[in-house]
Amino acid sequence: MNIGVIGAGAMGKPIAAQFAAAGHDVILANSRGPESLQDFAKSTGLTAGTRFDAAKADIIVLAVRWENRAAALSDLDLTGKILIDVTNQMEKGDLPENRGSLLLQSHFPDTKIVKAFNTLYARYLDGNTTGARRFLAFAGDDDDAKSTVKAIFSAMGYYPYDIGTLALGNETMEFGAVLSAQHFTVPNDKTLTQVLVKANDGSWELQVKESE
């Protein structure tokens, strides 16, 4: 597939490189321009471009700091596209319900947003590990979009796990939530039957169960 990655920092670069290694045509863009990415592009087999170039792809990955999201997406036509949201809303204190990926969805109602990768630290963006696969939570409201990205994530070596709706993803995957900074792996011969359970007080608890 054609995949555009907007953001070439600690998250964007390894994600883009993994997409390219999996055989996808990848365009990587940052705020400094394609010239700043030429060496990385040559070493990883992807193409350096502008964010407008990246937005022409079938799937777009937003991998910038939360405070830079508006500038990164300004004037882009994302109608009908799949947007993988890697961002985390990092503000302190009480946050409104309409935050994170839900806030992005409210600004781009005709875009199929899938929340993914935001629970992992950059150093754990490694997909396959010895005898196991890195757990990768994702969430969204469009089943076709989730099916598409799940297949891509699996081919990259991850163990993709559908958390459910975008609202539930926000509740469990945003910075500081129950799945944030969970870097566990799933043995190759195992399948997860459960990852979360809701406590009596309404909070979510991590409860990982595997099938034999």
Side-chain angles (χ1 to χ4, degrees), residues 21-191:
H24 302 286
D25 293 325
V26 181
I27 297 176
L28 178 63
N30 64 6
S31 60
R32 298 188 301 278
E35 297 78 12
S36 66
L37 296 170
Q38 291 299 332
D39 289 345
F40 182 78
K42 289 178 182 178
S43 67
T44 53
L46 51 80
T47 301
T50 68
R51 60 192 183 90
F52 293 98
D53 296 326
K56 295 176 183 177
D58 304 308
I59 297 175
I60 298 96
V61 180
L62 181 64
V64 300
R65 292 181 181 273
W66 173 255
E67 59 268 24
N68 297 332
R69 72 197 183 284
L73 298 177
S74 176
D75 299 324
L76 298 184
D77 182 6
L78 303 179
T79 303
K81 306 275 187 164
I82 296 175
L83 176 66
I84 299 175
D85 179 23
V86 183
T87 66
N88 274 300
Q89 188 169 355
M90 304 291 288
E91 285 93 336
K92 303 291 185 181
D94 293 334
L95 297 173
E97 286 188 10
N98 191 30
R99 65 185 187 272
S101 296
L102 286 176
L103 186 58
L104 277 180
Q105 186 70 84
S106 70
H107 290 307
F108 296 93
D110 298 320
T111 302
K112 304 168 186 177
I113 294 181
V114 177
K115 190 179 191 68
F117 291 107
N118 72 305
T119 63
L120 299 177
Y121 291 169
R123 64 181 179 273
Y124 292 105
L125 292 172
D126 52 4
N128 280 315
T129 58
T130 303
R133 292 160 291 167
R134 180 74 61 194
F135 175 81
L136 178 61
F138 68 98
D141 294 331
D142 187 287
D143 289 338
D144 289 339
K146 289 198 291 184
S147 178
T148 297
V149 300
K150 182 177 181 179
I152 292 173
F153 296 158
S154 182
M156 292 165 70
Y158 289 96
Y159 186 94
Y161 190 92
D162 186 353
I163 295 299
T165 65
L166 206 56
L168 185 54
N170 255 26
E171 190 176 349
T172 58
M173 295 168 61
E174 273 292 321
F175 180 74
V178 62
L179 287 173
S180 178
Q182 292 293 336
H183 303 120
F184 60 88
T185 59
V186 181
N188 288 336
D189 60 346
K190 301 288 185 179
T191 300

